[in-house]
Amino acid sequence: MASQNPKTIATINFKGGVGKTTVTWCLGDIVSAFSDTKVLLFDLDAQMSLTQAIALNEDGYSLEPEFQKWYEASVDKRKTIFDALDRYARPNQHFDFPAGFDFIYQLTDNLHFVPSVEDLYWMELEVFDRDAVKDFVRRLMGKITTSAKLPKYDYVLFDCPPSFTLLSYSVLSCCDLILIPVNPDYFASKGINLILNSLKMKIEPFPLPQIGVFMNKAKTRGTLTKDTRFYMREIERVCKQAAESQNISAKFLESWIPDRVGVKRAITSGGVPKELRDPFQKLWHEVMEYMQ
Ligand SMILES: Nc1ncnc2c1ncn2[C@@H]1O[C@H](COP(=O)(O)OP(=O)(O)O)[C@@H](O)[C@H]1O
Ligand SMILES: [Mg+2]
């Protein structure tokens, strides 16, 4: 399965709460369960939702001691994602950041994780050269794919913040696919319109990756509700329009993820709930077909 370069997917949306973190985790969980498929997850959100969820024990209250210990060591040794960026941005120095398991945490054999750190909050205030930083994630991926200490990853999934930070632009400038979850509400198509019509310009001079938009938290009563179907048609129309007018590859995916409370336990209890495995698998297959 392992190919030369991993396929990279970034989950984004301007809006918080649409399910970026949940979807990134669930896809990582589903895909790493295929035998011999190595997945690396990045938490790039300074709000640290994914990192905090992973740090929690199954009881949901206490901290997982093994991860906690590893995390503190990673911070002490200056091996976090922020330290990597800090090294990268130093003027007139080559990017010295060997990538190993003090930077990447092994959740399972196949599922590995780069946590977020609070320092990312303040990053926007530091004087980084915006255009230079755009190339940071590409260079970091280079360190990861050439490291003799790390496995060859098949997929790398980035959980991005709800705002467009330096780091998000850096990811969007080099990933293969941008995955945008939306929710069935009135504002979704307006938000999508805004993103699809501004991304290309923001990422220049880098080419815009393929974009896949899909419905998360779809309402069902046996089958999809009339409302959810209405919003899906609206968003699909916006995607088609933007794809034509901007000349970009943006598609509204047919697969959707239903609204199910069970998903709240997916991260701390380690697995995608049974009733959501099929929808996430379908979504993954459609994403893979689209990326061919
Ligand atoms: N398919 C779903 N069904 C029900 N709840 C969901 C679903 N997807 C996400 N949620 C819930 O919505 C909230 C926001 O999700 P999250 O993944 O943190 O969003 P984001 O990362 O976009 O801010 C969380 O409480 C999460 O459990
Ligand atoms: Mg999030």
Side-chain angles (χ1 to χ4, degrees):
M1 179 85 219
S3 55
Q4 279 306 352
N5 274 319
K7 290 224 182 305
T8 51
I9 300 177
T11 317
I12 65 154
N13 196 320
F14 283 127
K15 282 181 79 174
V18 293
K20 295 180 292 298
T21 300
T22 305
V23 164
T24 311
W25 169 264
C26 290
L27 289 178
D29 184 58
I30 293 267
V31 176
S32 64
F34 304 151
S35 64
D36 273 348
T37 306
K38 301 263 184 216
V39 181
L40 178 60
L41 288 181
F42 273 85
D43 181 1
L44 296 182
D45 189 353
Q47 309 233 10
M48 301 178 64
S49 324
L50 186 55
T51 302
Q52 282 169 357
I54 283 173
L56 278 180
N57 258 324
E58 263 187 56
D59 61 19
Y61 298 102
S62 60
L63 290 174
E64 223 272 304
E66 196 186 321
F67 177 74
Q68 197 61 18
K69 208 173 121 202
W70 176 91
Y71 190 76
E72 279 163 20
S74 170
V75 171
D76 278 352
K77 288 192 258 173
R78 312 221 55 175
K79 294 299 277 182
T80 70
I81 182 88
F82 181 80
D83 300 315
L85 180 65
D86 187 47
R87 298 265 175 88
Y88 174 78
R90 277 182 205 169
N92 311 321
Q93 278 184 34
H94 83 283
F95 182 29
D96 176 27
F97 191 82
F101 287 124
D102 43 8
F103 170 63
I104 294 173
Y105 182 73
Q106 301 177 73
L107 287 158
T108 67
D109 275 356
N110 282 348
L111 185 58
H112 296 181
F113 178 55
V114 176
S116 177
V117 274
E118 275 175 25
D119 298 304
L120 292 181
Y121 255 126
W122 313 111
M123 196 183 73
E124 297 295 306
L125 302 177
E126 313 234 349
V127 217
F128 286 125
D129 175 349
R130 286 192 159 255
D131 284 319
V133 168
K134 262 191 185 167
D135 215 26
F136 164 65
V137 172
R138 188 196 313 269
R139 294 284 307 282
L140 183 64
M141 285 308 302
K143 299 277 177 199
I144 292 170
T145 49
T146 55
S147 168
K149 298 197 179 105
L150 296 172
K152 297 284 167 237
Y153 292 106
D154 299 287
Y155 302 102
V156 181
L157 309 180
F158 299 94
D159 180 22
C160 293
S163 50
F164 280 53
T165 61
L166 288 179
L167 258 188
S168 359
Y169 282 121
S170 183
V171 174
L172 300 181
S173 306
C174 71
C175 65
D176 298 312
L177 180 88
I178 297 175
L179 194 57
I180 311 181
V182 290
N183 294 160
D185 60 53
Y186 174 74
F187 301 101
S189 58
K190 299 220 178 320
I192 282 300
N193 196 37
L194 185 67
I195 295 180
L196 296 184
N197 286 300
S198 59
L199 266 183
K200 190 177 171 181
M201 201 177 69
K202 299 281 188 200
I203 291 174
E204 272 172 0
F206 298 97
L208 187 70
Q210 286 183 290
I211 301 175
V213 181
F214 73 97
M215 182 61 74
N216 180 36
K217 303 192 193 179
K219 305 282 182 279
T220 55
R221 246 176 273 122
T223 164
L224 283 174
T225 64
K226 211 170 142 201
D227 277 2
T228 294
R229 275 186 283 133
F230 168 79
Y231 292 123
M232 286 170 76
R233 277 199 304 273
E234 267 301 291
I235 297 161
E236 183 174 21
R237 190 181 54 78
V238 169
C239 288
K240 275 194 180 138
Q241 221 168 41
E244 273 172 30
S245 71
Q246 299 284 317
N247 193 21
I248 58 178
S249 173
K251 185 181 178 194
F252 183 68
L253 304 172
E254 273 174 33
S255 317
W256 44 270
I257 306 295
D259 188 32
R260 295 285 181 275
V261 281
V263 80
K264 292 194 191 303
R265 293 187 307 274
I267 305 180
T268 39
S269 70
V272 176
K274 238 201 217 138
E275 73 271 22
L276 285 177
R277 269 183 224 154
D278 203 40
F280 273 110
Q281 242 149 27
K282 273 197 192 136
L283 175 64
W284 181 255
H285 283 135
E286 194 180 353
V287 165
M288 285 302 108
E289 243 167 56
Y290 178 40
M291 284 176 85
Q292 288 300 310

